[in-house]
């Protein structure tokens, strides 16, 4: 999954929806004059996520190539794009602007809240944090606890983007991709905490490996072996090396029994010969998946457990897309793989080799 981010300011592509808007506006007769409005400056057009430059999938620090600070004097690191003196200067210069821009990106649903760390000279400044209320998986009948996701996450890409001259739209596009990644990977983490087969976790999100450094044993997404691939735009933007869809497999009998599977509280799971259906808490809209052929090294039960897992995850990712807002409006298409005009199209894929 390792990818090179390069220069942050160069990651953003011009949006087809905004290309040429300035020229068209200046050449057309102003509609506001006909309404008796003295100046177009008094009318604020609604801002939507589609007005942003095209989003580039966020790459977490552990999966990125190392880079040097703009000053060229610091060593190459993966988790920091700037040395501390340059970062402190950038925060002093751009901190208020960055705080304002991040305030346009919000998420609060089912006790899950998105926030951003405060301005400082640390690499963790302006990094997404996700607070959420959930029962403890070890005491599911007990009271819910307040957890904080990504407390260990440090990434100064937003500060570096400001220092490199990125526009407001470019900053917001990067922040929106970071927020989407944070919420999506947390959703996967919670699915994996609860998803078990005959009382054993199928994809443990926490693992201990004596041969892997402690800060890497969570996997590149913090979810053990499960790795999320988010893409934006049409199929033409599919990342090189990204996995293809699995080959469908007609089911003649069910290799799994529903009573052998435990899932996240509030989710509803139905399995039959036709496939899998998952409904998230408080919703009647199901996410479906078909049975697929085993991958290399899998048996039929392993493939079936993966198919169920995929449906559980995609159901929660649809919830994330439904509730992540930009400038007070929904940012992402309600379902993956669709391209509605008013929203950012997205898709998601999972691999199990982290």
């Amino acid at each position: 999954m390792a990818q090179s981010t390069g220069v942050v300011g160069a990651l953003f592509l011009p949006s087809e929806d905004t290309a040429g808007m300035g020229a068209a506006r200046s050449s057309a007769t102003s509609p506001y004059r006909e309404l008796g409005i003295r100046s177009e400056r008094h009318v604020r057009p609604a801002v939507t996520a589609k007005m942003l430059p095209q989003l580039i999938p966020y790459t977490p620090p552990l999966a990125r190539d190392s880079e040097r600070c703009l000053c060229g004097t610091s060593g190459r690191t993966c988790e920091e794009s700037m040395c501390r003196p340059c970062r402190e200067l950038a925060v002093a210069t751009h901190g208020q602007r960055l705080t304002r821009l991040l305030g346009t990106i919000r998420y609060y649903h089912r006790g899950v809240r998105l926030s951003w760390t405060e301005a400082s000279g640390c690499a963790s400044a302006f990094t997404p944090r996700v607070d959420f209320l959930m029962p403890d998986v070890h005491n599911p009948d007990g009271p819910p606890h307040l957890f904080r996701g990504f407390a260990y996450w440090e990434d100064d890409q937003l500060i570096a983007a400001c220092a490199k001259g990125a526009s407001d739209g470019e900053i917001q596009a990067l922040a929106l991709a970071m927020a989407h990644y944070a919420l999506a990977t947390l959703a996967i983490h919670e699915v994996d905490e609860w998803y078990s087969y005959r009382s054993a976790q199928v994809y443990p999100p926490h693992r201990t490996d004596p041969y892997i450094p402690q800060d890497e044993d969570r996997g590149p997404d913090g979810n053990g072996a499960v790795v999320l691939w988010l893409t934006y735009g049409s199929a033409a933007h599919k990342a090189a090396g990204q996995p293809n869809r699995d080959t469908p497999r007609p089911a003649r009998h069910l290799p799994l029994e529903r009573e052998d599977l435990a899932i996240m509280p509030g989710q509803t799971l139905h399995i039959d010969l036709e496939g899998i259906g998952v409904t998230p808490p408080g919703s009647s809209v199901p996410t479906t998946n078909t049975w697929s052929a085993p991958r290399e090294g899998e048996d039929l039960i392993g493939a079936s457990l993966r198919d169920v897992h995929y449906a559980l995850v995609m159901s929660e990712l649809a919830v994330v897309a439904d509730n992540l807002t930009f400038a007070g409006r929904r940012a992402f298409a309600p379902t993956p793989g669709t391209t509605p005009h008013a929203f950012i199209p997205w898709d998601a894929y999972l691999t199990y080799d982290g």
Side-chain angles (χ1 to χ4, degrees):
M1 185 178 172
Q3 301 172 7
S4 175
T5 57
V7 178
V8 174
L11 283 176
F12 302 94
L13 307 177
S15 168
E16 294 177 1
D17 295 340
T18 56
M21 285 180 62
R25 188 179 296 116
S26 61
S27 61
T29 302
S30 171
Y32 306 113
R33 293 180 182 175
E34 298 177 5
L35 299 175
I37 300 174
R38 290 180 298 173
S39 170
E40 293 182 17
R41 289 178 296 176
H42 293 279
V43 178
R44 295 179 61 84
V47 178
T48 67
K50 278 292 250 184
M51 295 180 181
L52 294 176
Q54 182 182 305
L55 270 64
I56 301 296
Y58 173 74
T59 305
L62 288 177
R64 276 205 309 260
D65 290 343
S66 60
E67 57 183 312
R68 289 185 182 273
C69 178
L70 284 170
C71 66
T73 59
S74 66
R76 300 177 68 89
T77 65
C78 294
E79 297 188 14
E80 299 182 19
S81 302
M82 307 180 74
C83 63
R84 187 172 183 113
C86 290
R87 189 165 53 240
E88 290 176 343
L89 177 60
V91 168
T93 305
H94 302 284
Q96 290 186 347
R97 172 198 175 205
L98 192 48
T99 299
R100 172 177 57 83
L101 295 177
L102 295 181
T104 62
I105 301 169
R106 297 180 181 276
Y107 187 96
Y108 183 71
H109 180 67
R110 272 173 27 198
V112 180
R113 183 188 299 274
L114 172 71
S115 62
W116 302 86
T117 53
E118 297 180 351
S120 73
C122 299
S124 59
F126 300 112
T127 303
R129 294 288 187 263
V130 184
D131 298 319
F132 58 103
L133 279 169
M134 281 288 290
D136 191 327
V137 68
H138 301 295
N139 183 23
D141 297 324
H145 295 270
L146 181 63
F147 297 93
R148 164 158 288 191
F150 303 101
Y152 61 89
W153 189 7
E154 295 189 353
D155 193 348
D156 58 2
Q157 278 204 78
L158 287 169
I159 304 171
C162 290
K164 294 172 183 176
S167 67
D168 285 2
E170 291 169 343
I171 296 294
Q172 289 169 315
L174 174 58
L176 192 57
M178 292 177 72
H180 191 203
Y181 167 84
L183 291 159
T185 50
L186 175 66
I188 295 172
H189 191 95
E190 286 306 298
V191 167
D192 293 351
E193 287 276 22
W194 295 90
Y195 181 43
S196 64
Y197 175 64
R198 296 180 177 176
S199 301
Q201 282 184 326
V202 180
Y203 301 111
H206 304 283
R207 62 185 182 187
T208 301
D209 190 329
Y211 301 102
I212 301 178
Q214 186 175 0
D215 61 343
E216 297 180 13
D217 61 6
R218 304 180 183 94
D221 287 346
N223 289 325
V226 180
V227 180
L228 170 69
W229 298 75
L230 286 171
T231 60
Y232 304 105
S234 65
H237 296 107
K238 186 174 178 180
Q242 187 174 299
N244 295 315
R245 297 294 190 192
D246 290 295
T247 304
R249 169 183 58 84
R252 295 181 178 86
H253 70 280
L254 283 178
L256 301 175
E257 297 290 340
R258 174 61 185 89
E259 56 267 26
D260 288 335
L261 300 171
I263 59 175
M264 193 169 68
Q267 281 188 318
T268 301
L269 170 65
H270 174 77
I271 59 175
D272 58 27
L273 293 178
E274 299 297 321
I276 307 122
V278 178
T279 305
S283 173
S284 59
V285 180
T287 295
T288 60
N289 191 26
T290 57
W291 302 110
S292 68
R295 297 177 179 178
E296 184 178 354
E298 277 186 333
D299 58 18
L300 194 57
I301 290 180
S304 301
L305 289 171
R306 173 174 47 76
D307 292 334
V308 172
H309 179 257
Y310 183 84
L312 294 170
V313 166
M314 294 306 292
S315 175
E316 285 302 291
L317 295 192
V319 172
V320 169
D322 197 39
N323 292 279
L324 181 55
T325 64
F326 171 73
R329 296 167 179 255
R330 172 197 235 156
F332 294 99
T335 53
T338 59
T339 54
H341 177 72
F343 308 112
I344 297 173
W346 64 281
D347 212 337
Y349 304 84
L350 298 176
T351 59
Y352 298 85
D353 53 0

